Amino acid sequence: MLRDTTRSALIDAAFWAGYCAFNLSMSAAFGRVTSGAVAIAVALAAELWVAGQLMRRIAHRRHWFELGPLRLAARLFACVLIGAALSQLLLVPPLWIAAKGRWIYLGPDNLAGFAWPMLLMYWAQTAMALALWTALWSWTVAMRRYREGEIARLNAESLRNASELDALRARLNPHFVFNALNNLRALINEDTERARELVTRLSSTLRHALDHSQREHVSVAEELSVVDDYLAVESVHYEDRLRVAREIDPAALDLRLPPMALQLLVENAIKHGIARTPGGGELSLRVRGDGGRLRIEVGNPGRIEPESVRRGVGLAYLRTRLAHASPPGAFELRQHGARVTAQLEISQ
């Protein structure tokens, strides 16, 4: 913080040194550089540097940049007018005394420049110089705050997505793996070939849950491969209680969707539908492409429970991914008699 303050003060000093040099060059262009011109250029640049530092300190301490553009502009404009007036008030009296005593040379008539019209013109010129500095300074502060805000927003979004992924993995892994390992233990002695296939499917499912979800988009064909592995593992656990009906449009296989989106819908249908229905039921899976949009429907027996929908990590993760997709997708749960349908639409 101290380093930034020091750097800003040095930059301001360089700006006002340039302003001093500009005034002296104008004096040289329209006549000659007199002792009075040097005194005015140096003293005015020093005063405006002090005025700028005071303005900067007041603006930061009173949090002017959080007030909105109009209120900020009004305060800065008032500071420019007051700062220019105070600079002239501090400069003119000692300058008049020095000119009257002939200690400095302003021209043939040392006191001609102290008439009110001339003093008003000097004040306007000083205000313009201070306004230029204020505009440049406020623009750099606004740009820095914007960049810091964007960085903070991206960091927060990254942390939120990471926490959602962690929560999703934590929810998927223990429950799913526990059942799969118990089923595997039962199959080892009864059906070695089926146990080997279960290990393969389980390994593939977990690998996708950890790696596949890191990508922005995947194809429907890739997502269906994940779902096939997941359903193969779950079919060992639910056996005849899980019946799957598919309707897959071949034209939709190359369309894209957020990773794990379809798998989440299938998992939700099993967890809240098949698992809670005596005798199980049919899980329907319908995927089709329609006019540049991907439409997915996953149905299961059961009823929508508002509390589980509100607190569900998987559905919350899915809604977040769809909201931040470009273009955003739409997700909806609907009750149709004794069945629940999850509908997902994603523009391509």
Side-chain angles (χ1 to χ4, degrees):
M1 184 65 179
L2 182 60
R3 181 180 300 176
D4 290 342
T5 302
T6 303
R7 183 176 61 182
S8 297
L10 292 175
I11 293 175
D12 292 347
F15 177 90
W16 293 117
Y19 174 70
C20 177
F22 173 78
N23 284 336
L24 292 175
S25 66
M26 289 296 99
S27 297
F30 290 97
R32 63 191 183 91
V33 178
T34 64
S35 58
V38 173
I40 292 173
V42 173
L44 190 57
E47 289 178 349
L48 292 178
W49 179 81
V50 173
Q53 297 306 302
L54 290 175
M55 187 190 307
R56 183 198 302 273
R57 182 169 298 183
I58 294 172
H60 285 306
R61 285 189 175 181
R62 297 184 179 273
H63 308 288
W64 285 0
F65 286 89
E66 298 175 7
L67 298 177
L70 292 180
R71 297 173 67 184
L72 171 64
R75 283 163 172 77
L76 294 179
F77 181 71
C79 282
V80 166
L81 298 182
I82 295 172
L86 290 176
S87 297
Q88 288 296 322
L89 286 176
L90 292 173
L91 176 64
V92 169
L95 189 64
W96 182 84
I97 294 173
K100 188 174 180 62
R102 297 291 179 174
W103 301 333
I104 60 173
Y105 179 76
L106 295 174
D109 185 353
N110 246 16
L111 301 180
F114 293 96
W116 281 109
M118 297 299 295
L119 292 178
L120 184 61
M121 184 185 69
Y122 296 150
W123 171 80
Q125 292 175 345
T126 303
M128 290 177 60
L130 188 56
L132 175 60
W133 175 87
T134 302
L136 294 174
W137 165 67
S138 59
W139 180 80
T140 57
V141 172
M143 290 298 100
R144 184 175 68 248
R145 288 171 61 88
Y146 173 77
R147 289 193 299 269
E148 291 173 352
E150 283 295 295
I151 292 173
R153 183 185 66 80
L154 292 174
N155 286 338
E157 183 175 332
S158 177
L159 289 174
R160 185 188 65 217
N161 290 339
S163 64
E164 288 171 351
L165 285 174
D166 290 342
L168 176 64
R169 293 166 183 165
R171 183 182 67 85
L172 172 65
N173 293 346
H175 172 76
F176 177 69
V177 175
F178 178 79
N179 289 335
L181 291 178
N182 277 340
N183 294 326
L184 177 62
R185 182 179 61 181
L187 284 175
I188 288 176
N189 294 327
E190 297 177 6
D191 191 337
T192 304
E193 188 63 30
R194 194 178 180 191
R196 185 180 295 110
E197 181 184 357
L198 178 60
V199 170
T200 301
R201 296 280 194 173
L202 176 60
S203 174
S204 180
T205 300
L206 296 180
R207 176 173 55 83
H208 281 297
L210 294 173
D211 300 332
H212 186 63
S213 57
Q214 300 301 312
R215 298 164 57 184
E216 285 294 326
H217 297 91
V218 296
S219 67
V220 171
E222 292 175 304
E223 189 74 358
L224 284 173
S225 176
V226 179
V227 171
D228 288 340
D229 289 331
Y230 179 80
L231 288 175
V233 176
E234 290 288 53
S235 66
V236 176
H237 179 69
Y238 290 101
E239 297 182 334
D240 294 338
R241 295 177 59 200
L242 174 60
R243 300 178 293 278
V244 180
R246 299 169 180 261
E247 185 179 339
I248 309 298
D249 180 6
L253 293 178
D254 292 330
L255 300 182
R256 308 189 73 77
L257 73 164
M260 306 298 290
L262 179 55
Q263 192 274 338
L264 282 171
L265 295 183
V266 171
E267 180 186 359
N268 193 68
I270 293 176
K271 180 179 180 180
H272 298 286
I274 304 299
R276 299 185 180 185
T277 303
E282 181 181 271
L283 186 151
S284 59
L285 175 58
R286 185 181 183 187
V287 180
R288 68 184 189 277
D290 185 8
R293 293 182 66 86
L294 173 63
R295 302 181 185 272
I296 297 176
E297 293 183 4
V298 177
N300 60 269
R303 302 198 65 83
I304 298 176
E305 299 178 3
E307 184 66 15
S308 63
V309 172
R310 183 177 66 85
R311 299 180 59 184
V313 176
L315 295 184
Y317 164 77
L318 178 58
R319 287 191 175 95
T320 300
R321 291 299 297 263
L322 292 175
H324 289 84
S326 180
F331 169 71
E332 186 178 7
L333 278 177
R334 291 185 177 179
Q335 186 75 49
H336 296 285
R339 291 183 63 81
V340 177
T341 302
Q343 298 179 328
L344 179 63
E345 293 188 7
I346 302 174
S347 298
Q348 300 298 300

